[in-house]
Amino acid sequence: AGPTPTAAPPTPTPAVPGAPAALKIGIVTFLSGPAASPFGVPARNAAEVLIENLNAGNAPAPYDQKGIGGVPIQAIYVDEAGGAEKQVAEFRRLVLEEKVDLVIGYISSSDCLAVAPVAEELKTLTVLFDCGTNQIFEERDYRYVFRTHAHQVIENVGAARYILRMKPNLRRIAGINQNYAWGQDSWAAFRDSVLKLKPDVQVVGEHFPRLFAGEYSAELSAMLAARPEVVHTSFWGGDLEAFVIQAAPRGLFQQTTAILTTGDTILPRLGRDVPKGIVIAGRGPHGALAPKTPLNDWFVKIYKDRYVVRPVYPSYHIAQAILGVKAAYEKAIAANGGKWPTVDQVIAAFEYLEFETPSGTIRMALGKGHQAVEPIVLGITGDFDPATGEVKLTDVMEFPAECVNPPDGMKTPDWIAQGFPGAKCP
C-alpha cells in the first residue's frame, strides 16, 4: 500500500502579526578602492557577523530576540565607490528595484549629502552609519534620515580640549585635511575651538589636498618648514595610512605632535610602525578606545573569531546603525500592540531613542531626534605590545557627550564662536 502520506506542514504564523518574511536592508560601504581595506570592508564584515548572530538569536540582552522583532534580516551589500552621482543611482535602484525596506550606509560625507534628499523624496528610512559632516542635520530637517553616531564636532572639539591640556602653552598649529565637506568641517571645528579656548595660538598652515590624493610631499615640506607644534588631520582610510607612512621618515612626528582624529584604524594595520607620541581618536568610544562592557566583549569576540583582527571604529559605527534599527523597530512593535509597525511608527520610535551598543549608550539627541550624540575618547601612542600586535595608548581621556556636542538646534560653528554655551566638561 506504500507509506501513508503526511499533510504538508502549515505555513508558520509570524511571531509579529503583519510582519514580512524578512526585513530587507540595503547596506552601502566601500568594497573597492583606497577606502575599502582599512575602512569599508571592516564595516561590511561587522555587518555580516552581527546580522548572522542577530538572526540566530545569539546576541546578549537587550538584543537576544531573533532578527528584528523575530523577523530575519536580509542584507544586500552595495559598493560605495564611484562618487555621489553613482550612489544616488544605486539608492534609487535599491528602493525601486530591490524593494528594500530601508538603507544603512555611507562613509563619504559627499555621498551622505547627496543621498539624504533622495531618501526624503522616496520616503525611505535611511540610516547614515559613518559619514561625519555636521551639515546633514544642521542645514536642513529630515524625516526619513537618521544618523546613529555623532558628527565630526566631537573628535575635533575634543581634540582641541585634549591638546590644550597636554600643551597648555601651545602657540602654533597647522592642519592637513581632505578638500571636501568632511575635511573642511573637521579642520574648521578644531582650529576654531583651539582659537576660542586660546586666542593667542597662531595658524601656520592650512592644507587641503584632494580626496584620495595619496601623495603629500609638498604639504609635508611646507609643514616641516612652518614648524607647528601641533598638526591636525582628519584623513581617513588609505589617505591616512599614506600620510603616516610618508611623514614618519621625514621626521614630522619628532618635530610636532600629530592629531589623527580617525587614527584608530591604523593601529592594527600598521602595528609596530605606528610612531610614538601621536594623539589618536576613533570618532567616539570605539575600537581600541571602546568601553569594557559585556556587549563590547561579545562584539569583539564574534568579530575576531571570524576575521582574526579586532574591529576598528567603522565596524563599531555600522554596529550602532544595525542595533539602532533593531531597537527602533522593536520599540515601535511594542507601542503598536505587538503588531508590525508602519514606517511612520518606526520613525516615531527612532526619534530621541536611547539604545545600547558596544560603544556604550547612544542618544538620538540632536536634529530633532535624528542625530546621535556620544562621548569622545583620545590617547597617545606609546610602546608596541606584541600581545595585541598594536602600540599601547597612554594618557587616555574621555570627554562626555555634553562637553563636545552643541545643544539641539544650534549649529556647530555658532556654538564654537559663542564659546561652547551649555558645555559640561570634566
Side-chain angles (χ1 to χ4, degrees):
T4 304
T6 57
T11 301
T13 302
V16 177
L23 189 69
K24 203 170 182 181
I25 303 178
I27 296 181
V28 188
T29 182
F30 282 102
L31 303 178
S32 64
S37 294
F39 220 87
V41 171
R44 193 271 317 272
N45 289 347
E48 286 185 345
V49 72
L50 183 57
I51 289 170
E52 179 182 307
N53 278 271
L54 289 175
N55 282 343
N58 292 336
Y63 300 111
D64 46 344
Q65 184 178 15
K66 285 186 176 183
I68 290 179
V71 174
I73 302 165
Q74 178 185 349
I76 299 173
Y77 294 92
V78 172
D79 189 357
E80 191 177 344
E85 186 175 340
K86 181 186 174 188
Q87 291 315 309
V88 167
E90 287 285 1
F91 185 92
R92 292 186 182 277
R93 184 186 65 82
L94 283 169
V95 174
L96 301 175
E97 297 179 20
E98 297 284 358
K99 307 293 186 184
V100 297
D101 296 290
L102 67 143
V103 174
I104 294 174
Y106 309 106
I107 289 170
S108 169
S109 290
S110 297
D111 294 338
C112 283
L113 288 166
V115 164
V118 185
E120 295 294 292
E121 173 196 335
L122 299 181
K123 296 180 169 56
T124 300
L125 182 62
T126 300
V127 180
L128 309 178
F129 86 88
D130 188 76
C131 61
T133 177
N134 51 292
Q135 295 177 32
I136 297 288
F137 295 105
E138 289 186 354
E139 297 300 328
R140 63 171 290 182
D141 295 333
Y142 291 99
R143 173 164 178 75
Y144 293 89
V145 181
F146 291 81
R147 179 161 51 185
T148 46
H149 70 93
H151 60 58
Q152 58 80 19
V153 66
I154 67 167
E155 62 262 25
N156 294 299
V157 172
R161 292 188 179 278
Y162 183 88
I163 201 65
L164 286 171
R165 294 191 185 190
M166 297 293 109
K167 293 178 174 288
N169 298 317
L170 179 64
R171 288 288 184 267
R172 296 161 65 84
I173 64 171
I176 177 169
N177 293 272
Q178 294 147 324
N179 192 19
Y180 75 117
W182 161 254
Q184 294 158 359
D185 291 348
S186 296
W187 169 244
F190 174 77
R191 176 199 63 208
D192 294 351
S193 295
V194 169
L195 295 177
K196 179 56 65 172
L197 294 166
K198 196 170 189 297
D200 61 343
V201 170
Q202 288 183 284
V203 177
V204 297
E206 298 179 301
H207 305 280
F208 292 100
R210 62 178 173 83
L211 179 65
F212 304 145
E215 204 284 320
Y216 307 106
S217 57
E219 291 88 355
L220 285 168
S221 295
M223 286 189 290
L224 287 164
R227 303 191 67 83
E229 297 165 71
V230 167
V231 169
H232 166 280
T233 185
S234 61
F235 276 10
W236 53 274
D239 280 1
L240 177 60
E241 293 184 12
F243 174 72
V244 173
I245 290 168
Q246 292 168 37
R250 296 193 62 176
L252 181 71
F253 303 124
Q254 285 74 47
Q255 177 179 300
T256 187
T257 299
I259 299 174
L260 312 183
T261 59
T262 74
D264 173 65
T265 60
I266 70 168
L267 299 180
R269 287 178 59 83
L270 298 187
R272 66 173 68 249
D273 293 327
V274 175
K276 291 180 68 172
I278 294 177
V279 177
I280 293 285
R283 303 212 51 231
H286 314 312
L289 299 159
K292 180 70 175 173
T293 64
L295 187 55
N296 184 46
D297 289 346
W298 173 79
F299 178 60
V300 172
K301 183 179 188 304
I302 63 170
Y303 191 98
K304 289 184 72 173
D305 285 350
R306 174 72 57 84
Y307 305 111
V308 182
V309 299
R310 70 158 172 89
V312 290
Y313 85 77
S315 308
Y316 280 79
H317 276 175
I318 206 161
Q320 288 173 210
I322 293 168
L323 295 177
V325 166
K326 179 174 170 65
Y329 264 89
E330 291 176 357
K331 179 182 176 183
I333 291 167
N336 196 35
K339 300 190 290 288
W340 192 254
T342 64
V343 173
D344 286 342
Q345 290 169 326
V346 175
I347 289 170
F350 219 149
E351 291 176 342
Y352 297 103
L353 180 68
E354 294 189 14
F355 58 99
E356 295 305 312
T357 77
S359 305
T361 303
I362 295 297
R363 293 185 289 120
M364 304 298 295
L366 304 181
K368 299 181 179 178
H370 289 242
Q371 167 66 62
V373 299
E374 54 191 320
I376 186 65
V377 188
L378 303 100
I380 296 175
T381 56
D383 294 329
F384 178 73
D385 183 357
T388 64
E390 300 183 21
V391 296
K392 297 177 182 178
L393 295 180
T394 66
D395 298 294
V396 173
M397 188 178 301
E398 177 174 325
F399 294 92
E402 294 76 14
C403 174
V404 292
N405 286 276
D408 196 14
M410 177 172 268
K411 294 183 178 181
T412 294
D414 297 336
W415 181 58
I416 296 171
Q418 294 175 29
F420 316 99
K424 299 176 183 177
C425 298

